[in-house]
């Protein structure tokens, strides 16, 4: 066992920021907006560092997929105690189309490349709330998965896990290598102390990977969804689901399995909600 | 001008391999605005902001009411590396820059100026004195502790000598290889928790200020008495105590620097500490302002937000401008010091102006909050009480102005 843990860290809009929709309704405003590490990813990093401190694993590698700024997120992970970072460079149009399926393919490829024993992720990201990456990664690798973990303990080459599920708490035991996704109560992430921040800046061990057909990280970055702004709808008082479906079908926007239509609901003069069907 | 640029660039690139990631590449080649931070400074500021909000903010009110700094806060300040910002990692410090200290003090002051002053005195006065003047043995003994668990106090003022600092009467008599110190000090910050005291005493009163010497006095020295802490208007969580020295014996090796040079060291350190206080007042003003503006945007009277009244807008914009000006003065003074250029006049200006701005801001904020601003349920009145000391300690406003005038006089001396 290599004793190596991959921790996925995602750069998202900071939780405290008030989100604003772009004027063209194709998404939210991200320019000049404060970004930070996804809170669930912080919990994942903390758990990995804790395991290393207990000497149960040997190395924590922080991975982030995104543009140049993702390196800040990796640096925060390093300041929290990760040993090195991997930045998978995805920018521009590719970044807009980057979703859980692509990220999980990247993570799966990296896990094989790095001979990882464990992949720790946050249960979901606070921007898309997909809650898919961990599960997909495990499936692609054919590894066991322990999602929504609120307690993790290593026992030899097995992992005892407590999961927070709808019905309460579930206790499971899974083999390694495995994928674990962190839930809120798993731990309280530490602050990056100032000396650790200094160390992380001296750390030049962040590799850059560019996924393309030449590298092993070749993943298909085909857009999985498109955003369409509908024509202005007249405001109505009936906002029930049936009315919604009827309007969508009427407008001719067919729903195919590979597309997710995002549109806004007009109420009188004000478009107030972004809804998905 | 090229001189400024190279100096700037060398500070810029010293601590991080790349320019702050938000800045486009062209910025580094032209004159960056004052609010430009290295990646290291940016990360530190973010970390301290988060820490202060989560670990200190919930305790502020209680600490103020009880006039007592929570031990947890002190412990976490050390744990976060905030008490040894400029100390070399070799001695357990963070190994960062003066400007980082300034940013840290500003961020702490936004939440609690009492915590900020504890951090400020440790970093800008105590640590700097040891780093600049300490013998290898002294550094070995104290620097490690100062960055990990021990607070220091700077003891200059006495009951009869505040602004007239060099008229101090605490005397040190030489005996063989030790000194016997007698006298008392007043207004000593951090005294309640300090483990080491830097005491300015005069070895030869007939020589006037040229006899002033800096002595390192450990807390457990026999004859050292720490008096009851003052019951203050503001900065209540920061302990301020009188000190009594009754025939205390201090070995010769505990002299910091040279005999009779204490006055120089005091002036030198206070010039730098001034910028720290400016940062504290700046943070205080900003923190108070940040609590108040959201209220004005929510509070509705006569059918609109009170923020929307032109009278309010003009006042708010005026105060925001003053805070911005204070920020620029403070940051510039800090950068000048880092660049090794003369900075004393600018440091005086920063401290004087920031303290005045803090007074203006807090006073206005209470008015804008109306009745609730006057109650202890809201944090505003605490900022109002805390700000007043800014015009008094580490050099009163009048002293700052006189010092500035001396420099101005020299400038026109053709």
């Amino acid at each position: 066992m290599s004793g190596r843990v991959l921790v996925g860290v995602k750069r998202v809009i900071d939780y405290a920021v008030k989100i604003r929709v772009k004027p063209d309704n194709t998404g939210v405003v991200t320019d000049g907006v404060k970004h930070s590490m996804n809170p669930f990813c912080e919990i994942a990093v903390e758990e990995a560092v804790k395991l290393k401190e207990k000497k149960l694993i040997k190395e924590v590698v922080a991975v982030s997929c995104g543009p140049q700024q993702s390196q800040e997120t990796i640096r925060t992970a390093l300041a929290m105690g990760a040993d090195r970072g991997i930045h998978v460079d995805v920018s521009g149009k590719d970044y807009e189309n980057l979703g859980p399926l692509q990220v999980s393919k990247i993570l799966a490829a990296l896990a094989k490349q790095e001979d990882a024993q464990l992949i720790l992720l946050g249960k979901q990201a606070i921007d898309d709330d997909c809650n898919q990456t961990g599960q997909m990664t495990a499936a692609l690798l054919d590894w066991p998965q322990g999602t929504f973990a609120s307690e993790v303990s290593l026992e030899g080459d097995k992992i005892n896990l407590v999961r927070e599920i709808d019905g309460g708490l579930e206790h499971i035991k899974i083999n390694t290598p495995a994928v674990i996704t962190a839930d809120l109560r798993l731990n309280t992430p530490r602050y990056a102390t100032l000396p650790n921040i200094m160390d992380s800046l001296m750390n030049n061990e962040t590799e850059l990977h560019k996924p393309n057909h030449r590298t092993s990280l070749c993943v298909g970055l085909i857009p999985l969804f498109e955003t369409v702004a509908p024509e202005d709808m007249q405001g109505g008082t009936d906002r029930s689901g049936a009315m919604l479906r009827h309007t969508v079908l009427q407008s001719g926007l067919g729903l195919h399995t590979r597309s997710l239509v995002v549109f806004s609901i007009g109420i009188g003069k004000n478009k107030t909600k972004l809804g998905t069907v | 001008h090229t001189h400024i640029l190279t100096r700037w660039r060398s500070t810029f690139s010293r601590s991080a391999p790349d320019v702050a990631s938000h800045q486009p590449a062209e910025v580094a080649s032209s004159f960056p605005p004052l609010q430009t931070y290295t990646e290291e400074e940016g990360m530190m500021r973010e970390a301290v902001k988060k820490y202060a909000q989560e670990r200190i903010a919930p305790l502020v009110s209680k600490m103020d009411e009880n006039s007592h700094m929570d031990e947890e806060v002190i412990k976490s300040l050390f744990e976060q590396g905030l008490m040894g910002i400029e100390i070399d990692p070799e001695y357990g410090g963070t190994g960062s820059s003066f400007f980082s200290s300034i940013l840290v003090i500003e961020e702490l002051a936004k939440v609690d100026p009492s915590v900020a002053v504890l951090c400020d005195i440790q970093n800008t006065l105590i640590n700097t004195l040891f780093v600049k003047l300490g013998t290898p043995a002294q550094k070995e003994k104290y620097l490690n502790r100062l960055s990990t668990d021990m607070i220091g106090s700077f003891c200059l003022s006495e009951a009869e000598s505040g602004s007239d600092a060099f008229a101090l009467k605490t005397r040190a008599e030489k005996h063989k290889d030790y000194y016997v110190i007698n006298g008392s000090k007043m207004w000593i910050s951090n005294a309640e928790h300090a483990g080491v005291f830097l005491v300015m005493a005069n070895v030869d009163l007939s020589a006037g200020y040229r006899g002033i010497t800096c002595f390192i006095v450990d807390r457990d020295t026999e004859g050292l008495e720490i008096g009851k802490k003052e019951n203050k208007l503001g900065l209540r969580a920061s302990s301020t105590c009188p000190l009594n020295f009754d025939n205390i014996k201090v070995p010769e090796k505990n002299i910091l620097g040279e005999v009779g040079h204490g006055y120089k060291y005091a002036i030198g350190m206070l010039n730098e500490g001034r910028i720290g206080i400016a940062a504290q007042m700046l943070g205080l003003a900003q923190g108070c302002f940040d609590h108040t503006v959201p209220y004005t945007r929510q509070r509705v009277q006569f059918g609109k937000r009170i923020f929307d009244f032109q009278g309010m807008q003009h006042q708010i914009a005026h105060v925001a401008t003053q805070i911005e000006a204070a920020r620029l003065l403070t940051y510039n003074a800090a950068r000048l010091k880092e660049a090794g250029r003369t900075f004393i006049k600018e440091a005086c200006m920063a401290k004087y102006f920031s303290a005045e701005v803090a007074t203006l801001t807090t006073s206005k904020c209470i008015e804008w909050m109306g009745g609730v601003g006057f109650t202890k349920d809201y944090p505003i009145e605490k900022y109002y009480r805390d700000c007043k000391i800014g015009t008094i300690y580490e050099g009163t406003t009048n002293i700052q102005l006189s010092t500035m005038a001396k420099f101005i006089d020299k400038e026109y001396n053709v």
Side-chain angles (χ1 to χ4, degrees), chain B residues 98 101-106 109 113 116-117 119-121 123-125 269-283 330 333-334 337 343 347 350-351 354 393-394:
Chain B
F98 179 68
S101 311
I102 296 303
L103 289 180
V104 167
I105 295 166
E106 186 191 346
V117 83
C119 184
D120 165 72
I121 292 174
N123 280 290
T124 65
L125 294 182
M269 287 313 111
L270 288 172
N271 283 335
E272 296 180 19
R274 204 154 285 170
I275 307 177
I277 298 298
Q280 183 210 24
M281 288 293 125
L282 171 62
T330 308
K337 181 206 168 282
F343 68 94
K351 195 253 182 191
S354 295
Y393 69 179
E394 285 209 34

Tab-separated table of all heavy atoms in Angstrom, chain B residues 98 101-106 109 113 116-117 119-121 123-125 269-283 330 333-334 337 343 347 350-351 354 393-394:
chain	number	residue	atom	x	y	z
B	98	PHE	N	7.299	42.884	7.904
B	98	PHE	CA	6.676	43.931	8.708
B	98	PHE	C	5.286	44.234	8.186
B	98	PHE	O	4.330	44.400	8.955
B	98	PHE	CB	7.557	45.185	8.671
B	98	PHE	CG	7.002	46.334	9.453
B	98	PHE	CD1	6.924	46.287	10.827
B	98	PHE	CD2	6.543	47.483	8.803
B	98	PHE	CE1	6.409	47.355	11.557
B	98	PHE	CE2	6.024	48.550	9.521
B	98	PHE	CZ	5.953	48.487	10.907
B	101	SER	N	2.752	41.953	9.417
B	101	SER	CA	2.332	42.276	10.792
B	101	SER	C	1.261	43.354	10.776
B	101	SER	O	0.279	43.280	11.505
B	101	SER	CB	3.484	42.809	11.633
B	101	SER	OG	4.602	42.010	11.538
B	102	ILE	N	1.485	44.369	9.950
B	102	ILE	CA	0.532	45.478	9.867
B	102	ILE	C	-0.833	44.978	9.437
B	102	ILE	O	-1.867	45.347	10.007
B	102	ILE	CB	1.056	46.552	8.894
B	102	ILE	CG1	2.340	47.162	9.441
B	102	ILE	CG2	0.029	47.632	8.611
B	102	ILE	CD1	2.174	47.773	10.823
B	103	LEU	N	-0.861	44.109	8.428
B	103	LEU	CA	-2.142	43.575	7.953
B	103	LEU	C	-2.808	42.744	9.040
B	103	LEU	O	-4.021	42.806	9.233
B	103	LEU	CB	-1.924	42.723	6.691
B	103	LEU	CG	-1.554	43.480	5.419
B	103	LEU	CD1	-1.384	42.507	4.270
B	103	LEU	CD2	-2.615	44.510	5.055
B	104	VAL	N	-2.005	41.957	9.752
B	104	VAL	CA	-2.560	41.120	10.822
B	104	VAL	C	-3.185	42.000	11.907
B	104	VAL	O	-4.306	41.749	12.360
B	104	VAL	CB	-1.459	40.218	11.431
B	104	VAL	CG1	-1.937	39.583	12.722
B	104	VAL	CG2	-1.042	39.151	10.448
B	105	ILE	N	-2.456	43.055	12.303
B	105	ILE	CA	-2.970	43.950	13.346
B	105	ILE	C	-4.263	44.614	12.890
B	105	ILE	O	-5.229	44.728	13.662
B	105	ILE	CB	-1.907	45.003	13.723
B	105	ILE	CG1	-0.698	44.326	14.362
B	105	ILE	CG2	-2.478	46.047	14.667
B	105	ILE	CD1	0.524	45.209	14.450
B	106	GLU	N	-4.295	45.023	11.630
B	106	GLU	CA	-5.506	45.656	11.108
B	106	GLU	C	-6.686	44.695	11.163
B	106	GLU	O	-7.771	45.047	11.615
B	106	GLU	CB	-5.276	46.114	9.656
B	106	GLU	CG	-6.455	46.911	9.102
B	106	GLU	CD	-6.357	47.132	7.594
B	106	GLU	OE1	-5.273	46.910	7.020
B	106	GLU	OE2	-7.372	47.542	7.008
B	109	ALA	N	-7.841	44.119	14.705
B	109	ALA	CA	-8.489	45.303	15.278
B	109	ALA	C	-9.915	45.457	14.779
B	109	ALA	O	-10.762	46.025	15.466
B	109	ALA	CB	-7.682	46.563	14.963
B	113	PRO	N	-9.922	45.568	19.105
B	113	PRO	CA	-8.685	46.347	19.212
B	113	PRO	C	-7.810	45.938	20.399
B	113	PRO	O	-6.596	46.130	20.351
B	113	PRO	CB	-9.194	47.788	19.377
B	113	PRO	CG	-10.547	47.782	18.753
B	113	PRO	CD	-11.109	46.427	19.032
B	116	ALA	N	-5.738	43.191	19.184
B	116	ALA	CA	-4.794	43.751	18.217
B	116	ALA	C	-3.607	44.398	18.923
B	116	ALA	O	-2.466	44.266	18.465
B	116	ALA	CB	-5.493	44.771	17.321
B	117	VAL	N	-3.861	45.103	20.027
B	117	VAL	CA	-2.755	45.800	20.689
B	117	VAL	C	-1.801	44.802	21.353
B	117	VAL	O	-0.586	45.012	21.371
B	117	VAL	CB	-3.260	46.867	21.695
B	117	VAL	CG1	-3.610	46.262	23.048
B	117	VAL	CG2	-2.235	47.961	21.858
B	119	CYS	N	-1.119	41.856	20.172
B	119	CYS	CA	-0.333	41.354	19.048
B	119	CYS	C	0.653	42.404	18.552
B	119	CYS	O	1.805	42.111	18.244
B	119	CYS	CB	-1.305	40.950	17.936
B	119	CYS	SG	-0.536	40.212	16.524
B	120	ASP	N	0.225	43.682	18.551
B	120	ASP	CA	1.057	44.771	18.061
B	120	ASP	C	2.287	44.973	18.941
B	120	ASP	O	3.410	45.058	18.451
B	120	ASP	CB	0.223	46.061	18.002
B	120	ASP	CG	1.068	47.307	17.861
B	120	ASP	OD1	1.619	47.513	16.774
B	120	ASP	OD2	1.190	48.053	18.848
B	121	ILE	N	2.069	45.075	20.259
B	121	ILE	CA	3.185	45.311	21.172
B	121	ILE	C	4.202	44.178	21.073
B	121	ILE	O	5.409	44.400	20.987
B	121	ILE	CB	2.682	45.458	22.623
B	121	ILE	CG1	1.890	46.749	22.751
B	121	ILE	CG2	3.858	45.458	23.612
B	121	ILE	CD1	1.230	46.929	24.088
B	123	ASN	N	4.800	42.096	18.564
B	123	ASN	CA	5.507	42.044	17.288
B	123	ASN	C	6.365	43.269	17.015
B	123	ASN	O	7.518	43.159	16.629
B	123	ASN	CB	4.512	41.854	16.142
B	123	ASN	CG	4.089	40.406	16.013
B	123	ASN	OD1	4.860	39.557	15.621
B	123	ASN	ND2	2.851	40.130	16.375
B	124	THR	N	5.783	44.475	17.204
B	124	THR	CA	6.520	45.660	16.777
B	124	THR	C	7.469	46.192	17.835
B	124	THR	O	8.417	46.883	17.505
B	124	THR	CB	5.575	46.802	16.359
B	124	THR	OG1	4.832	47.220	17.503
B	124	THR	CG2	4.619	46.363	15.272
B	125	LEU	N	7.224	45.909	19.122
B	125	LEU	CA	8.126	46.425	20.152
B	125	LEU	C	9.043	45.330	20.695
B	125	LEU	O	10.260	45.370	20.503
B	125	LEU	CB	7.334	47.057	21.301
B	125	LEU	CG	6.541	48.328	20.983
B	125	LEU	CD1	5.850	48.850	22.222
B	125	LEU	CD2	7.427	49.402	20.387
B	269	MET	N	12.175	52.078	18.376
B	269	MET	CA	11.068	51.126	18.396
B	269	MET	C	9.736	51.825	18.315
B	269	MET	O	8.816	51.376	17.632
B	269	MET	CB	11.104	50.275	19.664
B	269	MET	CG	12.194	49.243	19.674
B	269	MET	SD	12.278	48.322	18.128
B	269	MET	CE	13.818	48.929	17.476
B	270	LEU	N	9.632	52.950	19.006
B	270	LEU	CA	8.341	53.644	19.002
B	270	LEU	C	8.014	54.191	17.620
B	270	LEU	O	6.845	54.278	17.234
B	270	LEU	CB	8.325	54.748	20.067
B	270	LEU	CG	8.261	54.182	21.496
B	270	LEU	CD1	8.447	55.281	22.528
B	270	LEU	CD2	6.936	53.470	21.734
B	271	ASN	N	9.054	54.533	16.855
B	271	ASN	CA	8.785	54.982	15.485
B	271	ASN	C	8.097	53.891	14.680
B	271	ASN	O	7.194	54.153	13.891
B	271	ASN	CB	10.092	55.371	14.788
B	271	ASN	CG	10.583	56.728	15.248
B	271	ASN	OD1	9.788	57.560	15.685
B	271	ASN	ND2	11.877	56.958	15.163
B	272	GLU	N	8.536	52.643	14.906
B	272	GLU	CA	7.913	51.538	14.171
B	272	GLU	C	6.577	51.157	14.776
B	272	GLU	O	5.613	50.884	14.057
B	272	GLU	CB	8.831	50.313	14.193
B	272	GLU	CG	10.136	50.555	13.486
B	272	GLU	CD	11.033	49.332	13.504
B	272	GLU	OE1	10.525	48.220	13.742
B	272	GLU	OE2	12.230	49.496	13.270
B	273	GLY	N	6.539	51.159	16.115
B	273	GLY	CA	5.301	50.789	16.793
B	273	GLY	C	4.166	51.712	16.431
B	273	GLY	O	2.996	51.331	16.418
B	274	ARG	N	4.527	52.949	16.115
B	274	ARG	CA	3.571	53.953	15.677
B	274	ARG	C	2.731	53.459	14.498
B	274	ARG	O	1.537	53.676	14.419
B	274	ARG	CB	4.403	55.139	15.233
B	274	ARG	CG	3.767	56.446	15.252
B	274	ARG	CD	4.841	57.486	15.423
B	274	ARG	NE	5.325	57.521	16.788
B	274	ARG	CZ	6.380	58.187	17.192
B	274	ARG	NH1	7.087	58.867	16.312
B	274	ARG	NH2	6.737	58.183	18.444
B	275	ILE	N	3.403	52.791	13.546
B	275	ILE	CA	2.695	52.314	12.361
B	275	ILE	C	1.738	51.196	12.762
B	275	ILE	O	0.634	51.079	12.228
B	275	ILE	CB	3.683	51.819	11.279
B	275	ILE	CG1	4.716	52.902	10.981
B	275	ILE	CG2	2.940	51.444	10.002
B	275	ILE	CD1	5.775	52.482	9.994
B	276	GLY	N	2.183	50.399	13.737
B	276	GLY	CA	1.303	49.339	14.248
B	276	GLY	C	0.045	49.916	14.866
B	276	GLY	O	-1.059	49.408	14.657
B	277	ILE	N	0.204	50.996	15.641
B	277	ILE	CA	-0.971	51.618	16.259
B	277	ILE	C	-1.861	52.223	15.179
B	277	ILE	O	-3.089	52.173	15.260
B	277	ILE	CB	-0.555	52.689	17.293
B	277	ILE	CG1	0.248	52.042	18.414
B	277	ILE	CG2	-1.776	53.401	17.840
B	277	ILE	CD1	-0.512	50.997	19.201
B	278	ALA	N	-1.224	52.801	14.158
B	278	ALA	CA	-2.015	53.336	13.045
B	278	ALA	C	-2.862	52.225	12.437
B	278	ALA	O	-4.048	52.413	12.141
B	278	ALA	CB	-1.092	53.942	11.980
B	279	ALA	N	-2.261	51.038	12.281
B	279	ALA	CA	-3.004	49.903	11.723
B	279	ALA	C	-4.134	49.488	12.656
B	279	ALA	O	-5.230	49.131	12.214
B	279	ALA	CB	-2.060	48.717	11.492
B	280	GLN	N	-3.872	49.562	13.958
B	280	GLN	CA	-4.917	49.199	14.925
B	280	GLN	C	-6.102	50.157	14.826
B	280	GLN	O	-7.262	49.744	14.771
B	280	GLN	CB	-4.333	49.218	16.339
B	280	GLN	CG	-5.316	48.792	17.393
B	280	GLN	CD	-5.057	49.440	18.726
B	280	GLN	OE1	-4.452	50.515	18.820
B	280	GLN	NE2	-5.520	48.814	19.788
B	281	MET	N	-5.813	51.445	14.769
B	281	MET	CA	-6.887	52.437	14.691
B	281	MET	C	-7.633	52.311	13.377
B	281	MET	O	-8.857	52.472	13.303
B	281	MET	CB	-6.303	53.847	14.848
B	281	MET	CG	-5.860	54.144	16.262
B	281	MET	SD	-7.276	54.205	17.383
B	281	MET	CE	-6.793	53.018	18.623
B	282	LEU	N	-6.879	52.008	12.320
B	282	LEU	CA	-7.483	51.826	11.009
B	282	LEU	C	-8.463	50.652	11.029
B	282	LEU	O	-9.602	50.762	10.575
B	282	LEU	CB	-6.372	51.572	9.988
B	282	LEU	CG	-6.781	51.158	8.588
B	282	LEU	CD1	-7.594	52.237	7.922
B	282	LEU	CD2	-5.539	50.836	7.755
B	283	GLY	N	-8.009	49.535	11.590
B	283	GLY	CA	-8.871	48.355	11.682
B	283	GLY	C	-10.097	48.638	12.534
B	283	GLY	O	-11.215	48.230	12.216
B	330	THR	N	-1.108	54.682	6.296
B	330	THR	CA	-0.546	53.580	7.080
B	330	THR	C	0.242	52.624	6.192
B	330	THR	O	1.387	52.273	6.500
B	330	THR	CB	-1.670	52.818	7.803
B	330	THR	OG1	-2.474	53.747	8.517
B	330	THR	CG2	-1.104	51.789	8.757
B	333	ALA	N	3.490	54.232	4.964
B	333	ALA	CA	4.514	54.308	6.007
B	333	ALA	C	5.159	52.944	6.197
B	333	ALA	O	6.384	52.826	6.332
B	333	ALA	CB	3.898	54.801	7.319
B	334	ALA	N	4.335	51.888	6.168
B	334	ALA	CA	4.859	50.535	6.349
B	334	ALA	C	5.782	50.140	5.197
B	334	ALA	O	6.855	49.574	5.399
B	334	ALA	CB	3.711	49.533	6.476
B	337	LYS	N	9.119	51.947	5.429
B	337	LYS	CA	10.003	51.336	6.417
B	337	LYS	C	10.635	50.071	5.859
B	337	LYS	O	11.836	49.849	5.983
B	337	LYS	CB	9.231	51.014	7.695
B	337	LYS	CG	10.142	50.396	8.737
B	337	LYS	CD	9.354	49.514	9.688
B	337	LYS	CE	10.260	48.669	10.531
B	337	LYS	NZ	10.816	47.513	9.854
B	343	PHE	N	11.074	57.169	7.277
B	343	PHE	CA	9.640	56.961	7.387
B	343	PHE	C	9.043	57.598	8.639
B	343	PHE	O	7.851	57.464	8.888
B	343	PHE	CB	9.343	55.457	7.422
B	343	PHE	CG	9.836	54.773	8.668
B	343	PHE	CD1	9.001	54.595	9.772
B	343	PHE	CD2	11.141	54.311	8.752
B	343	PHE	CE1	9.460	53.965	10.927
B	343	PHE	CE2	11.605	53.682	9.895
B	343	PHE	CZ	10.771	53.516	10.987
B	347	ALA	N	5.228	57.967	9.495
B	347	ALA	CA	4.660	57.117	10.547
B	347	ALA	C	3.855	57.967	11.530
B	347	ALA	O	2.760	57.590	11.960
B	347	ALA	CB	5.765	56.366	11.283
B	350	ALA	N	0.637	58.859	9.923
B	350	ALA	CA	-0.291	57.727	9.878
B	350	ALA	C	-0.960	57.524	11.234
B	350	ALA	O	-2.184	57.361	11.322
B	350	ALA	CB	0.452	56.458	9.461
B	351	LYS	N	-0.168	57.557	12.297
B	351	LYS	CA	-0.726	57.307	13.636
B	351	LYS	C	-1.684	58.434	14.028
B	351	LYS	O	-2.798	58.188	14.487
B	351	LYS	CB	0.412	57.189	14.663
B	351	LYS	CG	-0.022	56.585	15.986
B	351	LYS	CD	-0.093	57.619	17.083
B	351	LYS	CE	-0.475	56.944	18.403
B	351	LYS	NZ	-0.805	57.898	19.457
B	354	SER	N	-4.875	58.247	11.673
B	354	SER	CA	-5.727	57.074	11.926
B	354	SER	C	-6.475	57.203	13.236
B	354	SER	O	-7.648	56.826	13.333
B	354	SER	CB	-4.896	55.791	11.948
B	354	SER	OG	-4.339	55.547	10.701
B	393	TYR	N	-1.866	56.962	23.568
B	393	TYR	CA	-0.685	56.124	23.826
B	393	TYR	C	0.280	56.026	22.656
B	393	TYR	O	-0.047	56.410	21.533
B	393	TYR	CB	-1.075	54.748	24.370
B	393	TYR	CG	-1.783	53.752	23.467
B	393	TYR	CD1	-2.103	52.498	23.978
B	393	TYR	CD2	-2.153	54.006	22.150
B	393	TYR	CE1	-2.753	51.537	23.220
B	393	TYR	CE2	-2.810	53.064	21.385
B	393	TYR	CZ	-3.099	51.833	21.925
B	393	TYR	OH	-3.749	50.886	21.171
B	394	GLU	N	1.476	55.529	22.960
B	394	GLU	CA	2.595	55.444	22.007
B	394	GLU	C	2.830	56.777	21.322
B	394	GLU	O	3.098	56.858	20.131
B	394	GLU	CB	2.360	54.327	20.978
B	394	GLU	CG	2.583	52.962	21.593
B	394	GLU	CD	3.058	51.895	20.631
B	394	GLU	OE1	3.814	52.214	19.694
B	394	GLU	OE2	2.675	50.735	20.848
